[in-house]
Amino acid sequence: MPQIVRLTLFKIPDPAIIQEAIQKYSTLSQDAVKDGKQYIQLALANPAHADPRSQGYTMVARTVFESKNDMDYYDNECQAHTAIKAYVKPNVAGPPLVLYTDA
């Protein structure tokens, strides 16, 4: 089964919130556990460059999973992801754009 690479683009207007969200993503692969083990292979976030082509998206999060099942667990059951969503959701301008593909 191929790895899954997921990109999530956010429209977060406040640079301080962006920096805090980036910090939260920096420890996500250590904080997120499934069946008592870490399951996210890579998690990081960066601010987007200010450019008209960015279409208002200000932060990009990249996560890599071993499988689609792991990504589904991340979306529906992961407590570490739930904590990040609780922080980010009230601070975004519209829903994020999520894209994923095989590695």
Side-chain angles (χ1 to χ4, degrees):
M1 211 185 245
Q3 289 180 319
I4 300 294
V5 177
R6 171 177 164 146
L7 298 174
T8 307
L9 287 69
F10 298 92
K11 293 180 179 181
I12 303 173
D14 185 339
I17 300 296
I18 293 170
Q19 288 307 311
E20 182 65 24
I22 288 170
Q23 181 60 37
K24 290 179 183 304
Y25 270 95
S26 74
T27 63
L28 181 60
S29 60
Q30 291 85 35
D31 299 341
V33 293
K34 177 183 174 188
D35 301 326
K37 296 181 280 187
Q38 296 170 336
Y39 73 98
I40 297 175
Q41 296 183 347
L42 174 74
L44 57 91
N46 297 94
H49 289 283
D51 184 289
R53 293 172 288 189
S54 297
Q55 299 181 32
Y57 291 101
T58 57
M59 188 183 89
V60 178
R62 180 177 181 211
T63 46
V64 178
F65 303 94
E66 182 67 30
S67 67
K68 172 82 166 51
N69 288 339
D70 283 350
M71 187 183 78
D72 292 341
Y73 176 85
Y74 175 75
D75 279 333
N76 300 311
E77 300 179 53
C78 179
Q79 293 179 354
H81 185 219
T82 298
I84 289 176
K85 288 191 291 188
Y87 177 75
V88 171
K89 192 173 183 175
N91 297 297
V92 296
L97 173 62
V98 179
L99 305 168
Y100 66 94
T101 184
D102 295 339

